[in-house]
Amino acid sequence: MPKSPAWQRKEGKNPEGGLNEKGRASLKAQGKNIKRPVSAAEAKKSPAAASRRDSFCKRMLGMKRKRTSKKTAKDPNSRINKSLRKWDCKK
């Protein structure tokens, strides 16, 4: 049985949220171009990065409000909360 791509397995995920290099590489092999997260400090250096970060934060905060249970929304170890921390998204 063939293995699933790394981005779907634990080895392709960053424990702090999002994907690690191996996970992003496995997505790139499938024809997707995913970029690394943009922190607040990096966003100050580039308007394009700041725009990308703002867009991600708005989209994910909306998903957190509408598409997650109350338990998941409050859990600091949920994937959505980890990714919001990684991107330095504020409530």
Side-chain angles (χ1 to χ4, degrees):
M1 190 158 116
K3 271 186 155 179
S4 59
W7 67 271
Q8 293 178 340
R9 296 190 314 264
K10 186 176 182 178
E11 65 191 54
K13 296 180 182 177
N14 186 338
E16 297 173 1
L19 298 176
N20 59 22
E21 282 299 319
K22 189 171 188 175
R24 286 192 292 273
S26 71
L27 268 173
K28 190 166 183 103
Q30 293 181 339
K32 310 270 192 267
N33 185 20
I34 189 167
K35 299 175 184 174
R36 53 184 297 281
V38 177
S39 67
E42 294 170 6
K44 289 180 183 176
K45 297 176 185 175
S46 166
S51 175
R52 186 169 155 252
R53 180 176 166 268
D54 288 342
S55 176
F56 176 85
C57 290
K58 286 177 186 175
R59 184 174 67 248
M60 291 302 282
L61 286 169
M63 288 175 67
K64 180 180 173 179
R65 279 189 220 105
K66 300 233 183 214
R67 308 245 173 171
T68 59
S69 67
K70 288 183 180 183
K71 181 182 175 187
T72 303
K74 291 181 181 181
D75 181 15
N77 291 322
S78 69
R79 297 299 300 174
I80 195 163
N81 286 332
K82 285 181 177 183
S83 66
L84 289 169
R85 276 195 308 270
K86 190 73 171 177
W87 283 76
D88 292 333
C89 296
K90 306 295 180 213
K91 293 181 184 179

